[in-house]
Amino acid sequence: MTPEEARLYEKVENQIPLTEEEALWLYQNGRLAFLSALATLVRERLHNKNAYYNRNFHIEPTNICIYECAFCSFARKPGEPGGWEYSLEEIEAIAERYKGTGVTEVHIVGGVHPKRGIAYYAEMIRRIKRILPEIHVKAFTAVELKVMCARSRMSYREGLLALREAGLDSLPGGGAEIFHPDIRRQICATKASTEEWLQIHRTAHELGIPSNATMLYGHIETYEHRVHHMRLLRELQAETGGFNCFIPLKYRRENNSLWHVGEVSTIEDLKNYAVSRLYLHNIPHLKAYWPMIGVQTAQMSLAFGVDDLDGTIDDTTKIYSMAGVEAPGSLSTEMLEHLIRQAGYEAVERDSLYRPIQRAAAV
Ligand code: V47
Ligand code: SF4
């Protein structure tokens, strides 16, 4: 170990939070083996040998969107070829397919539709819960919520309360992208601002609704921008404690207008997981979202601080396949458990709040 590595090792061992400068140093100078060892120290202190997965499915109610984020391959304008808008009956039909399958969570994220407000989405949740009463509904990014609330002339608090009344259980972490204004201006200038994203999550946490946080990395941002992004999350977490999980999302280039910047390497992905684990000391879980990163990198990420591989998912998500990711549409629980065990960890099926699930017999 170099003297600086030894100093950082001791700091992490003594559970002293890293500074922004130290996180930046790790991005710039961190050797892969050192990052792996240090991130593993933290990850095993938090979760021992457990590595989590869940049984979930996705609903993307529409890809019609009022915004035009430069990195997005998914959105379409009304009437444009390739657009879809499911009716509530079609959503019910999707939910019906999961009856009796043992799924514990539905993840609902879509485009920001020009016409639909809180009442519509509350009705969507109610109908899903009528079919799957036990399901945990993790739904709507802060970007979608901002517009839904505005359309229904509700404050964030009022909108979130109405959705919770209908059965909303938690918020996914999307829409965060990169918080720094220099980057946000270039990749998603018009949607919810950094302050709005943080305020919606703060309001959710105050209401007892937990949430996740993402960071879209590997495009035009610098390491400084990533550290700034994580600093804002760490500060909000210190205030509310409401984030369950951090999910770095690797920028994928197919079919969107940022394609010319390319994609970062697997080594960069692994470094990014490790630095996230080390800097975000107060967010308990770090997720490698395999549909985005690919199954093999997700498996390797378990040696770089990751403790959660998300879920079985299914082929109902198009957001990543449209951006060029060649991952299978779904993974069986056997496959997820095998991937985890092969990496040296114990596979634990979790619910959406990371409580282990014991099943009497295989479902
Ligand atoms: O905010 C869009 C990302 C996000 C691309 O909370 C892209 O468990 C890479 O919210 N390349 C939405 N990323 C997804 C989301 C999510 C995903 C997984 C888990 C959770 C969770 C939440 O998808 C967007 C954006 O950052 N995205 N296009 C692209 N070309
Ligand atoms: Fe719309 Fe979300 Fe795509 Fe941006 S990333 S264009 S808000 S669907």
Side-chain angles (χ1 to χ4, degrees):
M1 264 195 251
T2 65
E4 183 58 4
E5 286 176 351
R7 192 186 69 78
L8 290 174
Y9 197 95
E10 198 185 324
K11 219 178 157 180
V12 170
E13 224 175 9
N14 290 317
Q15 305 193 33
I16 302 169
L18 298 184
T19 63
E20 281 178 83
E21 292 70 33
E22 288 164 343
L24 196 56
W25 188 89
L26 287 170
Y27 268 132
Q28 288 164 344
N29 307 294
R31 293 177 304 117
L32 209 54
F34 177 69
L35 290 171
S36 166
L38 209 55
T40 300
L41 183 77
V42 174
R43 169 267 178 259
E44 293 190 0
R45 183 161 65 213
L46 289 167
H47 310 296
N48 301 307
K49 292 283 186 283
N50 290 351
Y52 300 96
Y53 73 91
N54 73 347
R55 295 193 199 204
N56 62 353
F57 69 102
H58 284 218
I59 298 179
E60 289 162 353
T62 182
N63 66 344
I64 305 293
C65 189
I66 58 174
Y67 297 119
E68 293 176 30
C69 302
F71 54 81
C72 183
S73 318
F74 168 82
R76 297 289 183 275
K77 293 292 164 218
E80 202 184 324
W84 72 81
E85 302 176 55
Y86 294 140
S87 64
L88 291 174
E89 290 67 33
E90 284 169 316
I91 301 243
E92 285 177 312
I94 296 174
E96 288 282 351
R97 299 212 294 263
Y98 293 92
K99 263 180 157 173
T101 60
V103 290
T104 59
E105 176 186 278
V106 56
H107 166 117
I108 313 176
V109 168
V112 181
H113 193 275
K115 297 214 177 91
R116 295 171 172 176
I118 293 286
Y120 179 85
Y121 286 105
E123 178 60 14
M124 180 182 294
I125 295 175
R126 269 192 291 271
R127 291 198 189 194
I128 292 170
K129 283 222 161 156
R130 230 173 271 148
I131 296 164
L132 300 168
E134 305 295 328
I135 201 104
H136 177 108
V137 175
K138 179 180 71 170
F140 314 131
T141 65
V143 170
E144 294 166 272
L145 288 165
K146 178 198 159 179
V147 175
M148 273 180 220
C149 290
R151 187 156 303 127
S152 303
R153 296 184 201 291
M154 287 177 167
S155 65
Y156 300 152
R157 191 185 155 82
E158 289 164 342
L160 284 166
L161 279 171
L163 292 172
R164 186 173 68 181
E165 180 73 22
L168 176 76
D169 295 296
S170 67
L171 306 187
E177 322 311 0
I178 286 283
F179 288 143
H180 198 284
D182 291 351
I183 301 299
R184 214 167 177 82
R185 202 177 304 125
Q186 295 180 67
I187 64 170
C188 56
T190 51
K191 73 181 184 185
S193 67
T194 297
E195 292 68 31
E196 288 165 333
W197 191 99
L198 292 168
Q199 186 54 26
I200 289 170
H201 282 257
R202 180 182 288 109
T203 309
H205 298 172
E206 283 165 3
L207 295 172
I209 302 171
S211 72
N212 293 338
T214 57
M215 173 174 78
L216 180 72
Y217 72 94
H219 43 91
I220 58 169
E221 89 291 358
T222 62
Y223 291 144
E224 281 87 347
H225 295 126
R226 292 190 207 171
V227 176
H228 168 267
H229 185 94
M230 292 193 284
R231 174 167 66 78
L232 297 186
L233 292 174
R234 196 166 99 167
E235 285 171 1
L236 182 54
Q237 180 72 341
E239 200 183 309
T240 66
F243 289 120
N244 272 335
C245 172
F246 180 61
I247 310 140
L249 295 172
K250 176 184 182 140
Y251 165 66
R252 307 309 303 247
R253 66 183 293 196
E254 296 295 316
N255 306 315
N256 60 66
S257 59
L258 263 190
W259 64 273
H260 54 93
V261 306
E263 291 181 2
V264 294
S265 66
T266 305
I267 285 199
E268 276 298 312
D269 299 327
L270 298 175
K271 265 168 76 168
N272 188 61
Y273 284 119
V275 179
S276 308
R277 179 60 287 163
L278 292 166
Y279 184 72
L280 288 172
H281 65 95
N282 58 358
I283 299 190
H285 297 280
L286 179 64
K287 183 187 290 188
Y289 186 60
W290 64 260
M292 171 68 75
I293 197 89
V295 172
Q296 294 198 9
T297 308
Q299 191 182 28
M300 280 191 284
S301 74
L302 293 168
F304 289 83
V306 165
D307 63 279
D308 181 16
L309 292 189
D310 203 85
T312 45
I313 305 193
D314 220 311
D315 56 3
T316 41
T317 178
K318 298 198 184 66
I319 193 163
Y320 309 110
S321 54
M322 288 167 85
V325 185
E326 290 168 19
S330 67
L331 284 181
S332 64
T333 53
E334 290 76 18
M335 192 60 198
L336 278 163
E337 292 192 356
H338 172 73
L339 292 170
I340 290 170
R341 286 198 196 112
Q342 218 181 24
Y345 285 103
E346 281 164 29
V348 178
E349 184 184 350
R350 62 166 178 89
D351 69 8
S352 301
L353 303 176
Y354 289 87
R355 293 172 300 208
I357 291 182
Q358 311 287 351
R359 292 186 191 261
V363 184

